Amino acid sequence: MAVVLRTLFRPWRTTQTWWSLCHLCLDLLIATIGFTFVVTMASTAGSLIIVVPAAILVAWIGMLGTHAYAVAERTRFAALLGETLDDPAPRAEGRNWWHRFVWRFRTRSRWKEVGYALVHLPLSLVTTTTATTLWAGGAILLALPLLVGHFASGSAQLWFLE
């Protein structure tokens, strides 16, 4: 019996389980920040298109900020999950700021970073909600025998279970 319980609770005793749970719980917050930044910068640059220099400045800040977000995400994966992800974007090329600006917009890896920031929010909504619901639900079910006596009906009803 002790061997079965030890095997059953083994994942809960490893630090990697708790770091992974921490990663999932932070996912929604981090994704909201990235999504908000990208959408704000894109809509601001789009609305400033009639003032071309301002639109270029906002688009440039947006691309740099999105790259910083991607670097922060790679760092978070390395710190919490132990996964090392290399930066696929080569260093900006060009002899002046305009050529480097155009290069950023023509580089496929930069657009993948923008896509990640946009897709990360809906995916993190699902993963964070699922993880917290399952972990909290498991904790409540474990504590239910201790709590059921305090309910007004004296029993707990969970759909078809009582």
Side-chain angles (χ1 to χ4, degrees):
M1 181 66 169
V3 174
V4 172
L5 288 176
R6 190 175 320 131
T7 305
L8 182 65
F9 290 113
R10 182 178 308 153
W12 290 14
R13 295 186 322 207
T14 63
T15 57
Q16 189 57 44
T17 300
W18 298 105
W19 284 119
S20 298
L21 180 63
C22 180
H23 176 80
L24 281 174
C25 289
L26 285 173
D27 220 16
L28 186 59
L29 174 68
I30 305 278
T32 303
I33 293 168
F35 182 86
T36 304
F37 179 78
V38 168
V39 169
T40 302
M41 288 294 141
S43 61
T44 304
S47 64
L48 286 174
I49 199 68
I50 56 173
V51 185
V52 175
I56 290 173
L57 177 65
V58 171
W60 181 68
I61 292 170
M63 289 303 265
L64 288 178
T66 304
H67 181 67
Y69 172 73
V71 169
E73 275 292 277
R74 284 191 283 276
T75 304
R76 184 172 72 104
F77 271 79
L80 297 177
L81 300 178
E83 294 292 328
T84 304
L85 302 172
D86 295 329
D87 188 358
R91 196 172 154 95
E93 299 172 355
R95 56 187 178 272
N96 59 23
W97 69 271
W98 177 252
H99 287 106
R100 288 189 296 275
F101 173 76
V102 170
W103 179 86
R104 277 189 179 85
F105 273 87
R106 296 178 79 191
T107 305
R108 185 180 187 134
S109 61
R110 298 294 182 164
W111 287 106
K112 285 182 180 181
E113 293 172 349
V114 171
Y116 174 77
L118 293 175
V119 172
H120 189 201
L121 181 64
L123 289 178
S124 69
L125 186 63
V126 172
T127 58
T128 302
T129 304
T130 303
T132 54
T133 301
L134 291 176
W135 278 87
I140 289 170
L141 287 175
L142 283 173
L144 196 58
L146 302 173
L147 300 174
V148 75
H150 297 290
F151 294 159
S153 65
S155 69
Q157 294 180 344
L158 205 58
W159 293 296
F160 59 89
L161 300 172
E162 183 172 347

